Structure formats: structure tokens, C-alpha cells
Amino acid sequence: MTQQRGRFITLEGVDGAGKSTHIAWLTDAVRAHGVSVVSTREPGGTPLGEQLRALVLTEPMALETETLLMFAARSEHVRTVIQPAIEAGEWVVCDRFTDATYAYQGGGRKLGASRIATLEQWVHPAFQPDRTWLFDVPLEVARARLADAREPDRFEREGAAFFERTRAAYHARAAADPERFRIIDGTQSIAAIREQLDASLAEMMAAST
Ligand code: TMP
């Protein structure tokens, strides 16, 4: 009998949208359905990827360099962690993936989509998340949350216009692929968000059996 393929779930959203609060809970929720699950993140998820993450979040660099480093980390992550897990029948919950490059570098930093599409085609052709939950909040909510958090990284230090372009690019991604995306109103209570994630997860589980 051939092994059933696992599923690839990603969480996306602007900084301060609240997705990180739900990662551990979501991973446990997937596991509670009786499937084995890997929880990971981008940039990062491998020893090399975590080193690239440290650089890209702190060192000043050209936009092209930044975009290539995101994809360098992703290439390693897809090949050594994500795809092997999915092929082994495991589910993967990933905090950000290529939609973040379209949103942050493409939208926030105004690179546009076409070079990113070229890199995506090279690094993970014909491979996309099965489900993407996009956490969405307005600027004031995100800012209030970030103000209480740790020292801001290079992206969190950007201004309101960068935030709005990033958020708009995420919305455009979601509008272009409504099958894959579910938008979560990140201003809701944690309990309300978990209820929504639970329902969406149950739907995925039912479709995968
Ligand atoms: P995190 O704080 O959600 O872990 O994400 C780290 C930062 O990296 C966040 O500000 C978004 C940014 N980022 C990009 O700019 N492009 C990407 O492709 C990814 C994966 C993250």
C-alpha cells in the first residue's frame, strides 16, 4: 500500500497579527486528530535556515539579497524538512512560507511579484500549501501588540506605509486563491480564533480520509 501524503498548512500575516500565539495549540490540535505533525517556521526550520534568519532579521542588506536569502533558507527547508515529512505522511504546520515573500518583499518593499514567481518556480515548482490561514489585523492593533513585545527586528521597525502594502499584498494573494486561503480576523478573542481554526482543521481532516 502506498503511504498517504501528509498535508502542508501555513500561517501568515503581518507582524502583530497574532498567528504565533496559535502555533503550538494548532500543532497539538492536529496531533489530537491522530496524525503525526512537524511544526516549523520561515525563515528558519533548519540549522542553516536559522543562521540565515538571524542575518536577515538583523543585518542591513539590499532587497535582492534579502529576497535571495529568504529563498535560500526555503530551499533547504523544503528539501530537507517539509517535503520529506509530507511524503512520509506527516502533516507540517509552518509559520510563514512563500506568501510572506510576496507580501513583505513583493508588497512591503515594492519588488513586485514577477521575480518572486521566478524564484518560487525554481525552488518549489508545483508545490504549495494545502491550506493557508491568513491572520489579519489593522495597523493600530498590530502596533499596540508589537509595542509590548521584544526588541523589534528589521521588518517590525518599518513604518505604516510598509505595513499597509504588506497587508494589501497578503489580501491580493488570498483573493487570487480562495480555495487555499482562509482569512482569520486577528482582532477576535483567542477562543474565537481557535474555534475557527478547529472547524477549518476538521474540514481538512474529513477531506483527507
Ligand atoms: P516572524 O517574526 O513571523 O517569525 O517572521 C520573521 C520576519 O521575516 C517577519 O517580519 C516577516 C519576515 N519575512 C519576510 O520578509 N519574507 C519572508 O519570506 C519570510 C518567510 C519572512
Side-chain angles (χ1 to χ4, degrees):
M1 200 180 89
T2 48
Q3 170 73 58
Q4 200 196 1
R5 184 183 167 277
R7 294 284 182 274
F8 182 30
I9 296 173
T10 57
L11 281 78
E12 296 282 359
V14 291
D15 292 286
K19 66 183 169 46
S20 305
T21 310
H22 299 280
I23 297 274
W25 176 87
L26 184 62
T27 306
D28 287 344
V30 174
R31 198 172 290 121
H33 282 271
V35 294
S36 121
V37 56
V38 173
S39 176
T40 186
R41 70 173 179 181
E42 291 210 348
T46 65
L48 176 63
E50 290 294 327
Q51 291 193 51
L52 294 174
R53 177 188 176 91
L55 289 173
V56 91
L57 294 188
T58 56
E59 289 294 319
M61 62 184 74
L63 169 57
E64 291 77 5
T65 314
E66 181 179 290
T67 306
L68 289 165
L69 287 181
M70 293 296 180
F71 271 101
R74 183 163 300 135
S75 173
E76 203 61 19
H77 195 206
V78 166
R79 282 167 178 73
T80 67
V81 176
I82 301 175
Q83 283 180 335
I86 289 171
E87 275 153 30
E90 293 183 295
W91 287 43
V92 175
V93 173
C94 191
D95 189 346
R96 300 193 185 282
F97 193 61
T98 299
D99 293 308
T101 316
Y102 280 102
Y104 281 80
Q105 282 67 48
R109 298 226 197 276
K110 304 187 187 170
L111 178 65
S114 90
R115 287 201 177 84
I116 299 171
T118 303
L119 291 170
E120 177 182 33
Q121 186 54 33
W122 183 37
V123 169
H124 57 93
F127 179 72
Q128 290 293 332
D130 296 291
R131 171 72 70 244
T132 298
W133 284 306
L134 173 58
F135 285 68
D136 186 52
V137 291
L139 175 64
E140 318 77 71
V141 174
R143 282 288 132 104
R145 285 182 184 159
L146 291 177
D148 297 337
R150 53 184 162 65
E151 180 70 13
D153 63 36
R154 283 176 65 236
F155 298 97
E156 292 162 347
R157 280 198 295 271
E158 290 290 342
F162 176 90
F163 175 97
E164 296 296 2
R165 286 194 302 273
T166 304
R167 187 183 184 202
Y170 267 132
H171 278 279
R173 298 286 296 161
D177 194 353
E179 273 285 298
R180 170 162 73 90
F181 277 87
R182 298 287 181 274
I183 297 182
I184 310 268
D185 173 359
T187 65
Q188 298 175 98
S189 69
I190 289 179
I193 290 174
R194 287 187 177 167
E195 218 173 281
Q196 200 178 339
L197 292 175
D198 227 4
S200 184
L201 189 57
E203 186 194 302
M204 281 187 84
M205 290 288 169
S208 79
T209 50

